Amino acid sequence: MSNLRTKLTAVAAICGAAIGGGAIANAATSSSTPSTTNPPAASAPSGQAPQGAPQGRHTFNGKTEQALTGDTAAKVKAAALAKVPGTVERVETNVDSSAPYEAHIKKADGTEVEVQVSSDFTVAAVNTMGQH
């Protein structure tokens, strides 16, 4: 019985050391204070947003999409909804095609599309998400 107890104690000690070591390693690589600077957009792989960029936005040729506001946002949203009914998730600049703006819309059936809008606020293209 003491041989079994010895083995169980050894296993518990090893598991405890592994868990504790993992926690220490995680603490050593994590920062408790948020970073006030973001790495430059060019450091992100093409097609991905740099660290700290809002979710969904990506970078292409060193340019990162930016959220639209005000009158421009309202016009892009209206043009997109006139073409594709649904819920607008976000409107932003478009960095990977000739249309300068895009709206991301979730349709009633749950599918998501990207509506590309030109500078005169007409719809240039509608892409199913994941296809360009």
Short mmCIF file of all heavy atoms in Angstrom, two decimals, residues 51-125:
data_model
loop_
_atom_site.label_atom_id
_atom_site.label_comp_id
_atom_site.label_asym_id
_atom_site.label_seq_id
_atom_site.Cartn_x
_atom_site.Cartn_y
_atom_site.Cartn_z
N GLN A 51 -1.60 43.38 -35.02
CA GLN A 51 -1.98 43.15 -33.63
C GLN A 51 -2.59 44.42 -33.06
O GLN A 51 -2.06 45.50 -33.23
CB GLN A 51 -0.76 42.73 -32.82
CG GLN A 51 -1.10 42.35 -31.39
CD GLN A 51 0.14 41.89 -30.65
OE1 GLN A 51 1.23 41.89 -31.17
NE2 GLN A 51 -0.06 41.50 -29.42
N GLY A 52 -3.73 44.29 -32.40
CA GLY A 52 -4.41 45.43 -31.81
C GLY A 52 -5.43 46.07 -32.73
O GLY A 52 -6.17 46.94 -32.31
N ALA A 53 -5.50 45.67 -34.01
CA ALA A 53 -6.50 46.22 -34.92
C ALA A 53 -7.86 45.62 -34.59
O ALA A 53 -7.94 44.49 -34.12
CB ALA A 53 -6.12 45.91 -36.37
N PRO A 54 -8.94 46.36 -34.84
CA PRO A 54 -10.27 45.82 -34.58
C PRO A 54 -10.52 44.54 -35.35
O PRO A 54 -10.03 44.38 -36.47
CB PRO A 54 -11.21 46.94 -35.05
CG PRO A 54 -10.38 48.17 -35.00
CD PRO A 54 -8.98 47.73 -35.31
N GLN A 55 -11.30 43.67 -34.77
CA GLN A 55 -11.61 42.37 -35.37
C GLN A 55 -12.26 42.55 -36.73
O GLN A 55 -13.13 43.38 -36.91
CB GLN A 55 -12.54 41.59 -34.45
CG GLN A 55 -12.87 40.21 -34.93
CD GLN A 55 -11.70 39.27 -34.86
OE1 GLN A 55 -10.75 39.52 -34.16
NE2 GLN A 55 -11.77 38.19 -35.58
N GLY A 56 -11.85 41.75 -37.72
CA GLY A 56 -12.45 41.78 -39.03
C GLY A 56 -11.72 42.64 -40.03
O GLY A 56 -11.82 42.42 -41.21
N ARG A 57 -11.00 43.62 -39.58
CA ARG A 57 -10.28 44.51 -40.50
C ARG A 57 -8.97 43.84 -40.88
O ARG A 57 -8.33 43.19 -40.08
CB ARG A 57 -10.04 45.86 -39.84
CG ARG A 57 -11.37 46.49 -39.50
CD ARG A 57 -11.31 47.98 -39.49
NE ARG A 57 -12.65 48.45 -39.26
CZ ARG A 57 -13.07 48.97 -38.12
NH1 ARG A 57 -12.25 49.13 -37.13
NH2 ARG A 57 -14.32 49.34 -37.98
N HIS A 58 -8.58 44.04 -42.10
CA HIS A 58 -7.32 43.45 -42.52
C HIS A 58 -6.43 44.47 -43.21
O HIS A 58 -6.84 45.58 -43.49
CB HIS A 58 -7.57 42.21 -43.39
CG HIS A 58 -8.21 42.49 -44.71
ND1 HIS A 58 -9.56 42.64 -44.87
CD2 HIS A 58 -7.67 42.65 -45.93
CE1 HIS A 58 -9.82 42.88 -46.14
NE2 HIS A 58 -8.70 42.90 -46.80
N THR A 59 -5.22 44.04 -43.45
CA THR A 59 -4.20 44.89 -44.05
C THR A 59 -3.84 44.33 -45.41
O THR A 59 -3.75 43.12 -45.58
CB THR A 59 -2.96 44.93 -43.15
OG1 THR A 59 -3.33 45.50 -41.91
CG2 THR A 59 -1.84 45.74 -43.76
N PHE A 60 -3.64 45.21 -46.37
CA PHE A 60 -3.22 44.82 -47.70
C PHE A 60 -2.24 45.87 -48.21
O PHE A 60 -2.54 47.06 -48.16
CB PHE A 60 -4.45 44.71 -48.63
CG PHE A 60 -4.14 44.18 -50.00
CD1 PHE A 60 -3.89 42.83 -50.18
CD2 PHE A 60 -4.08 45.01 -51.09
CE1 PHE A 60 -3.60 42.32 -51.44
CE2 PHE A 60 -3.80 44.52 -52.35
CZ PHE A 60 -3.56 43.17 -52.52
N ASN A 61 -1.09 45.44 -48.65
CA ASN A 61 -0.04 46.35 -49.13
C ASN A 61 0.28 47.44 -48.12
O ASN A 61 0.46 48.61 -48.48
CB ASN A 61 -0.42 46.96 -50.48
CG ASN A 61 -0.32 45.98 -51.61
OD1 ASN A 61 0.41 44.99 -51.54
ND2 ASN A 61 -1.05 46.22 -52.68
N GLY A 62 0.30 47.08 -46.84
CA GLY A 62 0.67 48.02 -45.80
C GLY A 62 -0.43 48.97 -45.36
O GLY A 62 -0.20 49.84 -44.54
N LYS A 63 -1.64 48.83 -45.90
CA LYS A 63 -2.76 49.69 -45.53
C LYS A 63 -3.80 48.86 -44.78
O LYS A 63 -4.14 47.77 -45.21
CB LYS A 63 -3.41 50.32 -46.76
CG LYS A 63 -2.50 51.28 -47.51
CD LYS A 63 -3.21 51.86 -48.71
CE LYS A 63 -2.27 52.76 -49.50
NZ LYS A 63 -2.92 53.28 -50.69
N THR A 64 -4.30 49.40 -43.67
CA THR A 64 -5.30 48.71 -42.86
C THR A 64 -6.64 49.41 -43.02
O THR A 64 -6.72 50.64 -43.01
CB THR A 64 -4.89 48.71 -41.37
OG1 THR A 64 -3.62 48.05 -41.26
CG2 THR A 64 -5.90 47.96 -40.51
N GLU A 65 -7.70 48.61 -43.15
CA GLU A 65 -9.05 49.18 -43.26
C GLU A 65 -9.38 50.01 -42.03
O GLU A 65 -8.95 49.69 -40.92
CB GLU A 65 -10.07 48.06 -43.42
CG GLU A 65 -9.90 47.30 -44.72
CD GLU A 65 -10.78 46.08 -44.84
OE1 GLU A 65 -11.24 45.55 -43.80
OE2 GLU A 65 -11.03 45.66 -45.97
N GLN A 66 -10.14 51.09 -42.23
CA GLN A 66 -10.54 51.99 -41.15
C GLN A 66 -12.05 52.09 -41.11
O GLN A 66 -12.71 52.09 -42.15
CB GLN A 66 -9.94 53.38 -41.37
CG GLN A 66 -8.43 53.42 -41.45
CD GLN A 66 -7.77 53.00 -40.15
OE1 GLN A 66 -8.18 53.43 -39.09
NE2 GLN A 66 -6.75 52.16 -40.25
N ALA A 67 -12.61 52.20 -39.91
CA ALA A 67 -14.06 52.35 -39.74
C ALA A 67 -14.51 53.66 -40.36
O ALA A 67 -13.81 54.68 -40.28
CB ALA A 67 -14.42 52.33 -38.27
N LEU A 68 -15.68 53.63 -41.01
CA LEU A 68 -16.26 54.84 -41.56
C LEU A 68 -17.17 55.48 -40.52
O LEU A 68 -17.77 54.80 -39.71
CB LEU A 68 -17.08 54.52 -42.81
CG LEU A 68 -16.31 53.95 -44.00
CD1 LEU A 68 -17.27 53.60 -45.13
CD2 LEU A 68 -15.25 54.92 -44.48
N THR A 69 -17.26 56.81 -40.58
CA THR A 69 -18.11 57.54 -39.64
C THR A 69 -18.90 58.61 -40.40
O THR A 69 -18.61 58.90 -41.57
CB THR A 69 -17.28 58.23 -38.54
OG1 THR A 69 -16.36 59.14 -39.15
CG2 THR A 69 -16.52 57.22 -37.70
N GLY A 70 -19.86 59.19 -39.73
CA GLY A 70 -20.59 60.34 -40.25
C GLY A 70 -21.34 60.09 -41.53
O GLY A 70 -21.91 59.01 -41.76
N ASP A 71 -21.34 61.11 -42.40
CA ASP A 71 -22.10 61.09 -43.64
C ASP A 71 -21.65 59.97 -44.57
O ASP A 71 -22.46 59.30 -45.21
CB ASP A 71 -21.97 62.46 -44.32
CG ASP A 71 -22.97 62.65 -45.45
OD1 ASP A 71 -24.15 62.26 -45.25
OD2 ASP A 71 -22.59 63.18 -46.51
N THR A 72 -20.35 59.75 -44.66
CA THR A 72 -19.83 58.70 -45.53
C THR A 72 -20.34 57.34 -45.07
O THR A 72 -20.81 56.54 -45.88
CB THR A 72 -18.29 58.71 -45.54
OG1 THR A 72 -17.84 59.99 -45.99
CG2 THR A 72 -17.73 57.63 -46.46
N ALA A 73 -20.29 57.08 -43.78
CA ALA A 73 -20.78 55.81 -43.25
C ALA A 73 -22.26 55.62 -43.56
O ALA A 73 -22.70 54.54 -43.97
CB ALA A 73 -20.55 55.73 -41.75
N ALA A 74 -23.05 56.67 -43.39
CA ALA A 74 -24.49 56.60 -43.65
C ALA A 74 -24.78 56.31 -45.12
O ALA A 74 -25.66 55.49 -45.45
CB ALA A 74 -25.16 57.89 -43.22
N LYS A 75 -24.03 56.95 -46.02
CA LYS A 75 -24.24 56.74 -47.46
C LYS A 75 -23.83 55.34 -47.89
O LYS A 75 -24.51 54.70 -48.71
CB LYS A 75 -23.48 57.79 -48.26
CG LYS A 75 -24.11 59.17 -48.16
CD LYS A 75 -23.31 60.20 -48.95
CE LYS A 75 -23.93 61.58 -48.85
NZ LYS A 75 -23.19 62.58 -49.63
N VAL A 76 -22.71 54.84 -47.36
CA VAL A 76 -22.26 53.48 -47.69
C VAL A 76 -23.28 52.46 -47.17
O VAL A 76 -23.66 51.52 -47.88
CB VAL A 76 -20.85 53.22 -47.13
CG1 VAL A 76 -20.48 51.75 -47.24
CG2 VAL A 76 -19.83 54.09 -47.84
N LYS A 77 -23.74 52.66 -45.97
CA LYS A 77 -24.73 51.76 -45.37
C LYS A 77 -26.02 51.74 -46.21
O LYS A 77 -26.57 50.69 -46.51
CB LYS A 77 -25.03 52.19 -43.94
CG LYS A 77 -25.98 51.30 -43.20
CD LYS A 77 -26.14 51.76 -41.76
CE LYS A 77 -27.11 50.87 -41.00
NZ LYS A 77 -27.24 51.27 -39.59
N ALA A 78 -26.51 52.93 -46.59
CA ALA A 78 -27.74 53.01 -47.38
C ALA A 78 -27.59 52.33 -48.74
O ALA A 78 -28.48 51.59 -49.17
CB ALA A 78 -28.14 54.48 -47.55
N ALA A 79 -26.47 52.55 -49.40
CA ALA A 79 -26.25 51.93 -50.71
C ALA A 79 -26.18 50.41 -50.59
O ALA A 79 -26.78 49.68 -51.40
CB ALA A 79 -24.95 52.46 -51.33
N ALA A 80 -25.49 49.93 -49.56
CA ALA A 80 -25.35 48.49 -49.38
C ALA A 80 -26.70 47.84 -49.07
O ALA A 80 -27.04 46.79 -49.63
CB ALA A 80 -24.35 48.20 -48.27
N LEU A 81 -27.47 48.46 -48.18
CA LEU A 81 -28.77 47.89 -47.80
C LEU A 81 -29.78 47.96 -48.95
O LEU A 81 -30.68 47.11 -49.03
CB LEU A 81 -29.33 48.60 -46.57
CG LEU A 81 -28.63 48.26 -45.26
CD1 LEU A 81 -29.15 49.14 -44.12
CD2 LEU A 81 -28.81 46.78 -44.92
N ALA A 82 -29.65 48.94 -49.84
CA ALA A 82 -30.53 49.00 -51.01
C ALA A 82 -30.28 47.81 -51.93
O ALA A 82 -31.19 47.33 -52.61
CB ALA A 82 -30.32 50.31 -51.76
N LYS A 83 -29.05 47.31 -51.94
CA LYS A 83 -28.70 46.18 -52.80
C LYS A 83 -28.91 44.84 -52.10
O LYS A 83 -29.39 43.89 -52.70
CB LYS A 83 -27.23 46.32 -53.23
CG LYS A 83 -26.74 45.26 -54.16
CD LYS A 83 -27.32 45.46 -55.54
CE LYS A 83 -26.66 44.52 -56.54
NZ LYS A 83 -27.19 44.71 -57.88
N VAL A 84 -28.55 44.77 -50.81
CA VAL A 84 -28.62 43.51 -50.04
C VAL A 84 -29.30 43.78 -48.70
O VAL A 84 -28.69 44.38 -47.82
CB VAL A 84 -27.21 42.92 -49.79
CG1 VAL A 84 -27.31 41.63 -49.00
CG2 VAL A 84 -26.46 42.71 -51.08
N PRO A 85 -30.55 43.35 -48.54
CA PRO A 85 -31.22 43.55 -47.26
C PRO A 85 -30.56 42.70 -46.17
O PRO A 85 -30.10 41.59 -46.43
CB PRO A 85 -32.65 43.08 -47.51
CG PRO A 85 -32.77 42.82 -48.96
CD PRO A 85 -31.40 42.72 -49.53
N GLY A 86 -30.52 43.23 -44.97
CA GLY A 86 -29.95 42.49 -43.85
C GLY A 86 -29.52 43.45 -42.75
O GLY A 86 -29.98 44.58 -42.68
N THR A 87 -28.60 42.98 -41.92
CA THR A 87 -28.08 43.77 -40.81
C THR A 87 -26.64 44.15 -41.12
O THR A 87 -25.80 43.28 -41.36
CB THR A 87 -28.12 42.95 -39.50
OG1 THR A 87 -29.47 42.56 -39.26
CG2 THR A 87 -27.60 43.77 -38.33
N VAL A 88 -26.36 45.45 -41.11
CA VAL A 88 -25.00 45.92 -41.37
C VAL A 88 -24.18 45.70 -40.10
O VAL A 88 -24.52 46.20 -39.04
CB VAL A 88 -24.98 47.40 -41.78
CG1 VAL A 88 -23.55 47.89 -41.93
CG2 VAL A 88 -25.75 47.60 -43.07
N GLU A 89 -23.12 44.92 -40.23
CA GLU A 89 -22.24 44.66 -39.09
C GLU A 89 -21.18 45.73 -38.94
O GLU A 89 -20.81 46.09 -37.83
CB GLU A 89 -21.60 43.27 -39.25
CG GLU A 89 -22.65 42.17 -39.19
CD GLU A 89 -22.05 40.79 -39.32
OE1 GLU A 89 -21.07 40.60 -40.07
OE2 GLU A 89 -22.58 39.88 -38.66
N ARG A 90 -20.67 46.25 -40.07
CA ARG A 90 -19.71 47.35 -40.03
C ARG A 90 -19.54 47.93 -41.42
O ARG A 90 -19.81 47.26 -42.42
CB ARG A 90 -18.36 46.90 -39.47
CG ARG A 90 -17.60 45.91 -40.31
CD ARG A 90 -16.31 45.45 -39.61
NE ARG A 90 -15.53 44.58 -40.45
CZ ARG A 90 -15.69 43.27 -40.54
NH1 ARG A 90 -16.63 42.69 -39.85
NH2 ARG A 90 -14.92 42.55 -41.33
N VAL A 91 -19.14 49.18 -41.47
CA VAL A 91 -18.78 49.84 -42.74
C VAL A 91 -17.37 50.38 -42.56
O VAL A 91 -17.02 50.89 -41.50
CB VAL A 91 -19.77 50.96 -43.13
CG1 VAL A 91 -21.10 50.39 -43.54
CG2 VAL A 91 -19.95 51.98 -42.02
N GLU A 92 -16.56 50.25 -43.62
CA GLU A 92 -15.15 50.60 -43.49
C GLU A 92 -14.54 50.89 -44.85
O GLU A 92 -15.16 50.65 -45.88
CB GLU A 92 -14.39 49.47 -42.80
CG GLU A 92 -14.48 48.14 -43.54
CD GLU A 92 -14.11 46.94 -42.68
OE1 GLU A 92 -13.83 47.10 -41.49
OE2 GLU A 92 -14.09 45.83 -43.23
N THR A 93 -13.32 51.40 -44.81
CA THR A 93 -12.58 51.58 -46.06
C THR A 93 -12.25 50.20 -46.60
O THR A 93 -12.24 49.21 -45.88
CB THR A 93 -11.28 52.38 -45.83
OG1 THR A 93 -10.47 51.69 -44.87
CG2 THR A 93 -11.57 53.79 -45.36
N ASN A 94 -11.98 50.15 -47.89
CA ASN A 94 -11.66 48.89 -48.56
C ASN A 94 -10.25 49.02 -49.11
O ASN A 94 -9.98 49.91 -49.91
CB ASN A 94 -12.68 48.64 -49.67
CG ASN A 94 -12.51 47.30 -50.33
OD1 ASN A 94 -11.70 46.48 -49.93
ND2 ASN A 94 -13.29 47.07 -51.37
N VAL A 95 -9.36 48.16 -48.69
CA VAL A 95 -7.96 48.29 -49.09
C VAL A 95 -7.52 47.29 -50.16
O VAL A 95 -6.41 47.37 -50.63
CB VAL A 95 -7.02 48.16 -47.86
CG1 VAL A 95 -7.26 49.30 -46.89
CG2 VAL A 95 -7.16 46.81 -47.19
N ASP A 96 -8.42 46.36 -50.53
CA ASP A 96 -7.97 45.31 -51.45
C ASP A 96 -8.74 45.25 -52.76
O ASP A 96 -8.73 44.23 -53.44
CB ASP A 96 -7.95 43.96 -50.75
CG ASP A 96 -9.30 43.56 -50.19
OD1 ASP A 96 -10.24 44.37 -50.24
OD2 ASP A 96 -9.41 42.43 -49.70
N SER A 97 -9.42 46.32 -53.14
CA SER A 97 -10.05 46.37 -54.46
C SER A 97 -10.16 47.83 -54.90
O SER A 97 -9.78 48.74 -54.17
CB SER A 97 -11.44 45.71 -54.43
OG SER A 97 -12.40 46.58 -53.88
N SER A 98 -10.73 48.05 -56.08
CA SER A 98 -10.82 49.41 -56.59
C SER A 98 -11.92 50.23 -55.91
O SER A 98 -11.88 51.46 -55.96
CB SER A 98 -11.04 49.39 -58.11
OG SER A 98 -12.26 48.71 -58.40
N ALA A 99 -12.92 49.58 -55.30
CA ALA A 99 -13.96 50.32 -54.58
C ALA A 99 -13.39 50.79 -53.25
O ALA A 99 -12.80 50.00 -52.51
CB ALA A 99 -15.18 49.43 -54.35
N PRO A 100 -13.55 52.06 -52.91
CA PRO A 100 -12.91 52.59 -51.69
C PRO A 100 -13.61 52.22 -50.38
O PRO A 100 -13.03 52.38 -49.33
CB PRO A 100 -12.95 54.10 -51.90
CG PRO A 100 -14.11 54.33 -52.80
CD PRO A 100 -14.19 53.12 -53.69
N TYR A 101 -14.87 51.73 -50.45
CA TYR A 101 -15.62 51.44 -49.23
C TYR A 101 -16.21 50.03 -49.30
O TYR A 101 -16.40 49.47 -50.37
CB TYR A 101 -16.77 52.43 -49.05
CG TYR A 101 -16.38 53.87 -49.19
CD1 TYR A 101 -16.91 54.66 -50.21
CD2 TYR A 101 -15.49 54.46 -48.29
CE1 TYR A 101 -16.56 55.99 -50.34
CE2 TYR A 101 -15.14 55.80 -48.41
CZ TYR A 101 -15.68 56.55 -49.44
OH TYR A 101 -15.32 57.87 -49.57
N GLU A 102 -16.53 49.50 -48.10
CA GLU A 102 -17.23 48.22 -48.04
C GLU A 102 -18.12 48.17 -46.82
O GLU A 102 -17.85 48.82 -45.81
CB GLU A 102 -16.25 47.04 -48.03
CG GLU A 102 -15.35 46.96 -46.83
CD GLU A 102 -14.29 45.87 -46.93
OE1 GLU A 102 -13.81 45.59 -48.05
OE2 GLU A 102 -13.93 45.31 -45.89
N ALA A 103 -19.20 47.41 -46.96
CA ALA A 103 -20.12 47.17 -45.86
C ALA A 103 -20.23 45.67 -45.67
O ALA A 103 -20.35 44.92 -46.65
CB ALA A 103 -21.50 47.76 -46.17
N HIS A 104 -20.18 45.23 -44.43
CA HIS A 104 -20.34 43.81 -44.12
C HIS A 104 -21.76 43.62 -43.62
O HIS A 104 -22.17 44.25 -42.64
CB HIS A 104 -19.31 43.38 -43.07
CG HIS A 104 -17.92 43.39 -43.61
ND1 HIS A 104 -17.28 42.26 -44.07
CD2 HIS A 104 -17.04 44.41 -43.81
CE1 HIS A 104 -16.09 42.57 -44.51
NE2 HIS A 104 -15.91 43.88 -44.36
N ILE A 105 -22.50 42.76 -44.30
CA ILE A 105 -23.92 42.56 -44.01
C ILE A 105 -24.19 41.10 -43.71
O ILE A 105 -23.71 40.21 -44.42
CB ILE A 105 -24.80 43.02 -45.20
CG1 ILE A 105 -24.63 44.52 -45.42
CG2 ILE A 105 -26.26 42.66 -44.97
CD1 ILE A 105 -25.41 45.06 -46.59
N LYS A 106 -25.00 40.87 -42.67
CA LYS A 106 -25.50 39.52 -42.37
C LYS A 106 -26.93 39.47 -42.88
O LYS A 106 -27.78 40.24 -42.45
CB LYS A 106 -25.46 39.21 -40.88
CG LYS A 106 -25.91 37.78 -40.57
CD LYS A 106 -25.79 37.44 -39.11
CE LYS A 106 -24.42 36.86 -38.89
NZ LYS A 106 -24.28 36.27 -37.55
N LYS A 107 -27.18 38.57 -43.82
CA LYS A 107 -28.51 38.43 -44.41
C LYS A 107 -29.42 37.63 -43.47
O LYS A 107 -28.95 36.99 -42.53
CB LYS A 107 -28.40 37.76 -45.78
CG LYS A 107 -27.61 38.61 -46.75
CD LYS A 107 -27.32 38.06 -48.13
CE LYS A 107 -27.99 36.86 -48.61
NZ LYS A 107 -27.63 36.47 -49.97
N ALA A 108 -30.71 37.67 -43.74
CA ALA A 108 -31.71 37.00 -42.90
C ALA A 108 -31.45 35.49 -42.81
O ALA A 108 -31.74 34.87 -41.79
CB ALA A 108 -33.11 37.26 -43.44
N ASP A 109 -30.87 34.91 -43.86
CA ASP A 109 -30.60 33.46 -43.83
C ASP A 109 -29.30 33.12 -43.10
O ASP A 109 -28.90 31.96 -43.04
CB ASP A 109 -30.59 32.88 -45.24
CG ASP A 109 -29.46 33.41 -46.11
OD1 ASP A 109 -28.61 34.20 -45.62
OD2 ASP A 109 -29.41 33.04 -47.30
N GLY A 110 -28.62 34.14 -42.55
CA GLY A 110 -27.40 33.92 -41.78
C GLY A 110 -26.12 34.03 -42.58
O GLY A 110 -25.04 34.07 -42.00
N THR A 111 -26.23 34.09 -43.91
CA THR A 111 -25.01 34.23 -44.70
C THR A 111 -24.50 35.66 -44.59
O THR A 111 -25.26 36.60 -44.35
CB THR A 111 -25.24 33.88 -46.19
OG1 THR A 111 -26.26 34.73 -46.71
CG2 THR A 111 -25.64 32.43 -46.37
N GLU A 112 -23.19 35.81 -44.75
CA GLU A 112 -22.56 37.12 -44.64
C GLU A 112 -21.96 37.51 -45.98
O GLU A 112 -21.36 36.68 -46.65
CB GLU A 112 -21.50 37.10 -43.55
CG GLU A 112 -22.08 36.86 -42.18
CD GLU A 112 -21.04 36.87 -41.06
OE1 GLU A 112 -19.92 37.35 -41.29
OE2 GLU A 112 -21.38 36.41 -39.97
N VAL A 113 -22.15 38.77 -46.33
CA VAL A 113 -21.61 39.28 -47.59
C VAL A 113 -20.85 40.56 -47.34
O VAL A 113 -21.08 41.26 -46.35
CB VAL A 113 -22.71 39.52 -48.65
CG1 VAL A 113 -23.39 38.23 -49.05
CG2 VAL A 113 -23.72 40.54 -48.18
N GLU A 114 -19.96 40.86 -48.26
CA GLU A 114 -19.24 42.12 -48.28
C GLU A 114 -19.75 42.88 -49.50
O GLU A 114 -19.67 42.38 -50.62
CB GLU A 114 -17.74 41.86 -48.41
CG GLU A 114 -16.91 43.09 -48.65
CD GLU A 114 -15.51 42.74 -49.10
OE1 GLU A 114 -15.35 42.36 -50.28
OE2 GLU A 114 -14.60 42.85 -48.28
N VAL A 115 -20.30 44.07 -49.28
CA VAL A 115 -20.80 44.89 -50.38
C VAL A 115 -19.78 45.99 -50.61
O VAL A 115 -19.52 46.81 -49.73
CB VAL A 115 -22.19 45.49 -50.04
CG1 VAL A 115 -22.68 46.35 -51.20
CG2 VAL A 115 -23.19 44.39 -49.72
N GLN A 116 -19.17 45.99 -51.78
CA GLN A 116 -18.19 47.01 -52.13
C GLN A 116 -18.91 48.20 -52.74
O GLN A 116 -19.76 48.03 -53.62
CB GLN A 116 -17.14 46.44 -53.08
CG GLN A 116 -16.33 45.33 -52.44
CD GLN A 116 -15.26 44.80 -53.35
OE1 GLN A 116 -15.10 45.20 -54.49
NE2 GLN A 116 -14.49 43.86 -52.83
N VAL A 117 -18.57 49.39 -52.25
CA VAL A 117 -19.26 50.62 -52.66
C VAL A 117 -18.23 51.59 -53.24
O VAL A 117 -17.20 51.85 -52.62
CB VAL A 117 -20.01 51.24 -51.46
CG1 VAL A 117 -20.72 52.53 -51.87
CG2 VAL A 117 -21.01 50.24 -50.87
N SER A 118 -18.56 52.14 -54.42
CA SER A 118 -17.64 53.06 -55.09
C SER A 118 -17.75 54.47 -54.50
O SER A 118 -18.61 54.75 -53.67
CB SER A 118 -17.91 53.08 -56.60
OG SER A 118 -19.24 53.43 -56.84
N SER A 119 -16.89 55.35 -54.95
CA SER A 119 -16.82 56.70 -54.39
C SER A 119 -18.08 57.53 -54.68
O SER A 119 -18.35 58.50 -53.99
CB SER A 119 -15.58 57.44 -54.88
OG SER A 119 -15.60 57.50 -56.29
N ASP A 120 -18.87 57.13 -55.69
CA ASP A 120 -20.14 57.82 -55.95
C ASP A 120 -21.30 57.12 -55.22
O ASP A 120 -22.47 57.40 -55.51
CB ASP A 120 -20.40 57.95 -57.45
CG ASP A 120 -20.59 56.61 -58.15
OD1 ASP A 120 -20.45 55.54 -57.50
OD2 ASP A 120 -20.87 56.61 -59.37
N PHE A 121 -20.97 56.22 -54.31
CA PHE A 121 -21.92 55.51 -53.45
C PHE A 121 -22.88 54.61 -54.22
O PHE A 121 -24.04 54.46 -53.86
CB PHE A 121 -22.66 56.48 -52.52
CG PHE A 121 -21.71 57.27 -51.66
CD1 PHE A 121 -21.44 58.59 -51.95
CD2 PHE A 121 -21.06 56.67 -50.59
CE1 PHE A 121 -20.54 59.32 -51.17
CE2 PHE A 121 -20.15 57.38 -49.82
CZ PHE A 121 -19.90 58.70 -50.11
N THR A 122 -22.36 54.00 -55.28
CA THR A 122 -23.08 52.94 -55.97
C THR A 122 -22.38 51.63 -55.66
O THR A 122 -21.17 51.59 -55.41
CB THR A 122 -23.12 53.17 -57.50
OG1 THR A 122 -21.77 53.22 -57.99
CG2 THR A 122 -23.86 54.45 -57.85
N VAL A 123 -23.14 50.54 -55.70
CA VAL A 123 -22.58 49.24 -55.37
C VAL A 123 -21.75 48.74 -56.55
O VAL A 123 -22.23 48.67 -57.68
CB VAL A 123 -23.70 48.23 -55.01
CG1 VAL A 123 -23.13 46.82 -54.86
CG2 VAL A 123 -24.39 48.67 -53.73
N ALA A 124 -20.50 48.41 -56.27
CA ALA A 124 -19.59 47.92 -57.29
C ALA A 124 -19.57 46.39 -57.35
O ALA A 124 -19.38 45.82 -58.42
CB ALA A 124 -18.18 48.45 -57.03
N ALA A 125 -19.77 45.73 -56.20
CA ALA A 125 -19.72 44.26 -56.17
C ALA A 125 -20.31 43.78 -54.86
O ALA A 125 -20.32 44.50 -53.85
CB ALA A 125 -18.28 43.77 -56.30
#
